[in-house]
Amino acid sequence: MVVDSLQALQAANRKPPPLRRDEGTLLIAGATGALGQELVRRLAGRHRFEHTRVLVREPIRAGLRGVETVLAPGPDIAHWPRTAADAALVLFEPPRLYYDRERALWTPEPAQLPALAAWLKACGVRTLAVVQPHDQGRLPEALKRGLASLDEEAVVAQGFERVIIVRTARKPAAARFGNPAERLAAWMLSVARFMVPASEQPVRAGKVAELVEVALRIAPPGVHVAAPELVWQAAQGELQAVAEGWLLAALGEVRSVEA
């Protein structure tokens, strides 16, 4: 039986224990693209965690002090050897092929998320953060603030102490057309892009990374989903205040009721 997404979120946030700061070992899957590079710089380069490990497809030498690599031996995630970690960060941005180092990094496919989450839980991960991109303006309103798929519900069902899902908009990939008629039709349909609200436009990688960094630092136990509009709002200036309003509002309500 599938549990209603909002009920799952409310149940997960009902009795939050005291906040915990970053500590221990962070494991990153999908440290590619501008966002992956920015997150590694922020979380590893500034020593937010004691150790940082990055999943790779082939052996490489880590170029950042305090960063280690962990070999992903094949597609069967369930049979990977376990590596100890306290927190994990999963990103789906494909590698930039003109960066030789990124071609060696392991990046999950969205369909691999449940299996990857199960492996991470077996590795001892308590906090899981997932940055889930989507084409701008194409995420249904009902799915923006809750669990958007059975895969995400399966992730929450693993029993992590904290699950942080950040939905960030991306520009649609450039399409290839076989003939002028297809190109003309695509141009006529592209007029719709001007109807996408500003709050659903893509946000710079640095701002998304900053929001994820703050969320890992201050989020109470439970399930926390950042809608695209919240990511956009956080990028406009008062990021810390927006993050606190998102992550700590429910905590304040629960404590006020208990008092």
Side-chain angles (χ1 to χ4, degrees):
M1 183 179 70
V2 177
V3 179
D4 180 80
S5 298
L6 290 178
Q7 290 180 352
L9 292 175
Q10 291 167 356
N13 292 320
R14 192 161 292 143
K15 284 191 175 180
L19 304 186
R20 187 187 66 249
R21 303 301 178 185
D22 293 346
E23 58 184 12
T25 298
L26 172 68
L27 182 62
I28 303 179
T32 51
L35 179 57
Q37 179 180 345
E38 185 66 23
L39 279 164
V40 170
R41 184 185 71 82
R42 283 182 169 274
L43 298 173
R46 296 182 182 181
H47 305 291
R48 298 299 189 191
F49 289 83
E50 296 172 12
H51 303 95
T52 300
R53 293 173 179 156
V54 177
L55 284 169
V56 297
R57 295 187 302 171
E58 56 190 61
I60 60 172
R61 178 177 297 178
L64 192 62
R65 184 179 179 184
V67 177
E68 306 170 4
T69 59
V70 175
L71 185 63
D76 190 358
I77 298 175
H79 290 90
W80 285 1
R82 296 175 185 175
T83 180
D86 302 284
L89 176 61
V90 178
L91 304 101
F92 298 100
E93 190 170 355
R96 297 167 292 187
L97 297 181
Y98 47 87
Y99 282 79
D100 289 337
R101 182 175 295 273
E102 289 195 7
R103 289 201 293 266
L105 300 176
W106 186 82
T107 302
E109 297 292 335
Q112 293 176 301
L113 181 58
L116 180 59
W119 179 75
L120 292 169
K121 188 68 170 61
C123 290
V125 169
R126 300 189 304 272
T127 295
L128 175 62
V130 180
V131 180
Q132 190 72 277
H134 64 88
D135 291 342
Q136 62 184 35
R138 294 188 179 181
L139 186 65
E141 193 70 31
L143 302 182
K144 290 180 179 179
R145 297 168 183 81
L147 302 179
S149 66
L150 293 177
D151 285 349
E152 290 184 0
E153 292 182 9
V155 169
V156 171
Q158 292 292 331
F160 292 98
E161 197 172 296
R162 300 190 299 173
V163 175
I164 300 166
I165 299 175
V166 176
R167 306 201 191 285
T168 177
R170 65 183 173 192
K171 293 181 179 179
R176 296 183 179 181
F177 307 107
N179 55 64
E182 290 180 358
R183 188 177 298 108
L184 176 61
W187 175 81
M188 295 176 66
L189 291 173
S190 69
V191 175
R193 74 179 185 273
F194 298 107
M195 302 173 64
V196 176
S199 61
E200 294 188 22
Q201 297 288 339
V203 174
R204 287 190 298 112
K207 287 298 183 181
V208 178
E210 186 179 355
L211 179 62
V212 173
E213 178 189 9
V214 172
L216 284 170
R217 191 171 70 249
I218 72 172
V223 180
H224 310 279
V225 180
E229 294 92 338
L230 186 141
V231 178
W232 180 87
Q233 182 185 1
Q236 304 312 302
E238 299 296 331
L239 188 145
Q240 180 76 28
V242 172
E244 290 177 355
W246 162 42
L247 295 164
L248 305 182
L251 179 64
E253 290 174 4
V254 171
R255 287 181 174 171
S256 64
V257 169
E258 292 178 348

